[in-house]
Amino acid sequence: MTSSPSSQPNQSPALKVLIVEDDPNVRLGCEQAMQLAGIPVQAVASAEAGQRLVGPDFPGVVVTDMRLPGMDGMQLLRALVAQDAALPVIMITGHGDVTLAVEAMRSGAYDFIPKPFSPDHLVEVVSRALEKRALTMEVESLRRRLDHRDAIEARLIGRSPQMERVRRLLLELADTSVDVLIVGETGTGKEMVARCLHDLSSRSAANYVALNCGGLPDNLIDSELFGHEAGAFTGAQKRRIGKIEHANGGTLFLDEVESMPMAVQIKLLRVLQERMVERLGSNALIPVVCRVVAATKEDLRELADRQKFRADLYYRLNVARVELPPLRERREDIPLLLEHFMLQAAQQHQRPIPEVGREQMQQLMAHAWPGNVRELRNAAECLVLGLRRDFGTTPSPEARGASLAEAVENFERSLIAAELRRQNGNLARSSEALQVAKTTLHDKIRKYGLAG
């Protein structure tokens, strides 16, 4: 049996296929098909031998003939599914075994392949099963990591280089006292990052205090931040401890800091410089030791140049800077994030986790995600609740025949190549049009062999 090069999947070397087939010729043909496709394979002649090789966390999939000496394929399927319900088991059925094939699917088989079959078809079915197994094992690993809530990998999910850089930076900054500026579009997880900085630091036992500067009227921000004494203004009937003072020893998170009024910015700058706070209506200075983490979706430097934000406060906040990538720049994280959010939603609503079809996943991967991770979380909840979501993207005929990774790369390559042509190869203009950092775009141009 031979397999065409075009059907070779891009699979992780950690995953493998176990072939259970008593016919030596068919067994050898299946092995050769897997080897030519670059898929690690192991083959045995009996269900008993196969069962001994498959543990609860078997890193791969099983392909078994239905009719075997001793324990048959149906018995093996039921034993494997009882041990690990998420393990993909592919059944090979003989001509006329339609009833057995239906019974196998009801018993938990991933798919069945009727004899005679082509090597290309075998490789295609196995490749899909391996993709599912890889994602299932990664989600299971995530479940285990979620038991340790302080692990940053369980909170900032993603295997992309961008998220790995963010995690490394947070681990470096967490136990320092330096103030931090988090920059990112709406929905990228700025508050989650702030919370991680607090929880991973030695100040985690103290208060984490959050204030959305854009969610309060200008005349209330003063009182919220600095507190007030009784009688400081009309309606101030008793003393109030402000957010800064309440965060003493811990972390103060200021979201949408760009919307803070200029007069309040001046007072905040003084607090950051002197680490002293003065309640409204009081002359007493109260020492405070807290880390300030500010977040913005705007370019504060540009706002400062336009005198819409104080330049001295910008430089004071920008001592350490964490830039969060939008979801469209880390599309490879979408499947894992989607599984994570569906798991959370399924637990919350007491619903089963739905199966996301290949074409639907391709639509999710191609979607622009203007709302970023927050929008993806909402989409996952809609999927769990059975609500239809149309992301307005239909995969091309070429994408339908490709693996998930290949479809994503093809989409990204064509998008970058088209923009480079429109911009006559200008990297700066292309990065601005694609809304991606120049360094990220440069890396992708090298990856895809495009002329920049």
Side-chain angles (χ1 to χ4, degrees):
M1 300 173 77
T2 59
S3 175
S4 64
S6 62
S7 62
Q8 294 180 13
N10 181 21
Q11 297 294 346
S12 167
L15 295 180
K16 63 182 179 180
V17 179
L18 174 64
I19 307 289
V20 183
E21 172 59 68
D22 62 322
D23 187 317
N25 294 324
V26 177
R27 186 169 66 247
L28 177 60
C30 291
E31 281 187 276
Q32 289 177 340
M34 295 299 105
Q35 289 165 353
L36 288 170
I39 301 174
V41 61
Q42 184 176 5
V44 295
S46 70
E48 290 82 359
Q51 188 177 20
R52 286 193 292 269
L53 295 173
V54 180
D57 296 314
F58 179 71
V61 303
V62 176
V63 179
T64 179
D65 197 357
M66 185 74 77
R67 301 186 183 278
L68 296 166
M71 176 189 286
D72 64 19
M74 191 69 73
Q75 291 172 304
L76 176 61
L77 166 67
R78 288 170 177 153
L80 295 180
V81 169
Q83 176 179 265
D84 182 353
L87 175 66
V89 180
I90 300 164
M91 308 298 295
I92 298 175
T93 62
H95 180 69
D97 283 344
V98 176
T99 304
L100 283 176
V102 172
E103 185 182 348
M105 296 299 286
R106 287 175 176 168
S107 297
Y110 172 78
D111 205 345
F112 69 93
I113 302 176
K115 293 179 181 178
F117 55 88
S118 69
D120 285 351
H121 182 52
L122 175 64
V123 169
E124 179 188 351
V125 175
V126 166
S127 297
R128 289 201 310 267
L130 285 171
E131 284 180 3
K132 180 180 180 181
R133 186 59 170 170
L135 186 57
T136 300
M137 294 185 72
E138 196 152 9
V139 170
E140 187 56 39
S141 174
L142 172 63
R143 281 185 175 125
R144 287 194 291 265
R145 293 202 304 270
L146 284 173
D147 292 337
H148 308 283
R149 298 302 301 179
D150 287 340
I152 195 168
E153 294 87 354
R155 314 229 347 228
L156 298 178
I157 299 166
R159 53 193 170 191
S160 62
Q162 297 96 319
M163 288 309 295
E164 181 56 38
R165 284 195 293 269
V166 168
R167 287 193 292 262
R168 278 201 308 269
L169 180 56
L170 293 186
L171 289 173
E172 291 172 5
L173 293 174
D175 222 18
T176 69
S177 58
V178 66
D179 296 329
V180 179
L181 179 64
I182 305 171
V183 182
E185 295 178 7
T186 298
T188 49
K190 297 186 287 293
E191 182 161 10
M192 175 65 76
V193 167
R195 188 80 216 202
C196 284
L197 282 169
H198 175 77
D199 292 345
L200 294 170
S201 72
S202 57
R203 62 182 64 82
S204 59
N207 290 332
Y208 170 84
V209 182
L211 176 67
N212 188 320
C213 301
L216 289 172
D218 291 358
N219 60 337
L220 291 182
I221 292 183
D222 248 355
S223 176
E224 284 292 319
L225 268 178
F226 307 106
H228 62 254
E229 297 289 348
F233 52 84
T234 303
Q237 298 179 355
K238 59 181 180 180
R239 172 186 289 176
R240 176 182 175 83
I241 302 298
K243 299 290 188 184
I244 298 174
E245 190 175 348
H246 187 51
N248 191 24
T251 302
L252 173 67
F253 174 56
L254 301 176
D255 199 6
E256 297 187 31
V257 70
E258 72 278 1
S259 61
M260 183 178 287
M262 281 287 188
V264 180
Q265 290 181 34
I266 296 171
K267 293 182 179 180
L268 177 61
L269 178 64
R270 182 183 175 191
V271 171
L272 294 178
Q273 290 172 336
E274 301 177 4
R275 299 291 164 172
M276 306 283 283
V277 67
E278 185 178 326
R279 300 189 195 117
L280 299 180
S282 171
N283 294 321
L285 292 175
I286 303 166
V288 289
V289 180
C290 72
R291 160 184 268 171
V292 175
V293 179
T296 180
K297 60 181 182 293
E298 304 288 347
D299 184 337
L300 293 187
R301 174 64 185 271
E302 181 185 350
L303 291 180
D305 291 343
R306 292 162 43 204
Q307 298 186 338
K308 300 284 188 181
F309 194 86
R310 288 193 62 92
D312 45 7
L313 178 59
Y314 163 69
Y315 289 118
R316 187 65 186 79
L317 291 172
N318 198 41
V319 178
R321 182 186 183 97
V322 178
E323 296 189 10
L324 298 184
L327 191 55
R328 63 181 174 274
E329 290 185 13
R330 56 181 188 111
R331 293 179 188 272
E332 61 266 47
D333 292 337
I334 290 174
L336 187 59
L337 283 165
L338 182 70
E339 282 286 342
H340 173 67
F341 293 143
M342 287 198 302
L343 174 62
Q344 288 184 331
Q347 292 173 340
Q348 178 184 350
H349 300 292
Q350 296 297 300
R351 296 284 188 92
I353 298 178
E355 188 79 25
V356 178
R358 193 177 181 194
E359 188 166 325
Q360 188 175 25
M361 181 60 80
Q362 288 175 341
Q363 290 180 358
L364 292 166
M365 294 292 285
H367 183 59
W369 298 110
N372 292 294
V373 177
R374 185 180 299 150
E375 184 185 357
L376 181 60
R377 181 194 291 271
N378 292 341
E381 188 165 16
C382 286
L383 288 170
V384 168
L385 293 173
L387 304 177
R388 289 192 62 179
R389 289 295 301 266
D390 181 11
F391 295 92
T393 304
T394 302
S396 65
E398 296 82 2
R400 291 192 188 101
S403 71
L404 180 59
E406 289 167 341
V408 173
E409 290 187 352
N410 289 339
F411 174 81
E412 193 171 61
R413 184 187 293 108
S414 62
L415 194 65
I416 294 173
E419 193 57 45
L420 285 170
R421 284 195 298 271
R422 278 194 293 271
Q423 304 296 346
N424 295 318
N426 186 289
L427 182 66
R429 289 200 301 268
S430 297
S431 70
E432 184 177 353
L434 292 169
Q435 299 183 43
V436 61
K438 282 193 291 186
T439 52
T440 302
L441 181 59
H442 183 261
D443 290 342
K444 292 183 183 296
I445 288 172
R446 285 195 305 174
K447 173 184 175 181
Y448 296 133
L450 301 172

